[in-house]
Every structure is written in structure tokens, then in C-alpha cells.
Amino acid sequence: MARFLIILGVTILVLGLLWPYLGRLGLGRLPGDVLVQRGNFTLYIPLTTSLLVSLVLSLFFWLLNQFTGQ
């Protein structure tokens, strides 16, 4: 459990450091992300971005599980 928490913490740290560069890749502005602007109201639902992030994290944790032999 301790190893998992350390790896999770390092992963979050790396993502936090790379966040400005990830924004340049277009995350948050993908086709399928819903943006509604009406006067003073803005609704943003990042559907495609959420699915992509979920897929990448699922793949990462699956590979992590395969290599650690858990």
C-alpha cells in the first residue's frame, strides 16, 4: 500500500508540473467537449477530455499492476 501511495503521489506531482504544457496540446478543447455561453452564464462539460484522461489513467494503472506483479 505504501508503494502505491508513493507512486500515486509522484504521478500527481509530475502531472502538476506538466500541466501548463498539457494545456498547449488542446486538452479541454477537444471535439465533444460541451461549451455553452449565454450572456453572463457559461457551462463547460469536458466529456471527451474526461474520457481521454480516464483511458490514459486506466492504461497507466493497468500497466503498473502488470509490472509490480500484484
Side-chain angles (χ1 to χ4, degrees), residues 14 20 22 24-26 31 33 36-37 39 41 52 55-56 63 70:
V14 169
L22 293 175
R24 294 181 186 166
L25 294 176
D33 290 345
V36 177
Q37 293 179 331
F41 175 75
L52 182 63
L55 179 68
V56 169
L63 287 172
Q70 298 290 330

Side-chain angles (χ1 to χ4, degrees), residues 1-19 22 57 60-61 64:
M1 183 68 166
R3 179 185 294 171
F4 172 74
L5 290 175
I6 291 171
I7 292 172
L8 181 63
V10 169
T11 303
I12 291 171
L13 175 70
V14 169
L15 285 174
L17 291 173
L18 293 176
W19 191 256
L22 293 175
L57 286 175
F60 171 75
F61 285 118
L64 183 67

Side-chain angles (χ1 to χ4, degrees), residues 44-60:
Y44 177 66
I45 304 172
L47 292 175
T48 306
T49 300
S50 298
L51 288 172
L52 182 63
V53 169
S54 175
L55 179 68
V56 169
L57 286 175
S58 295
L59 179 63
F60 171 75

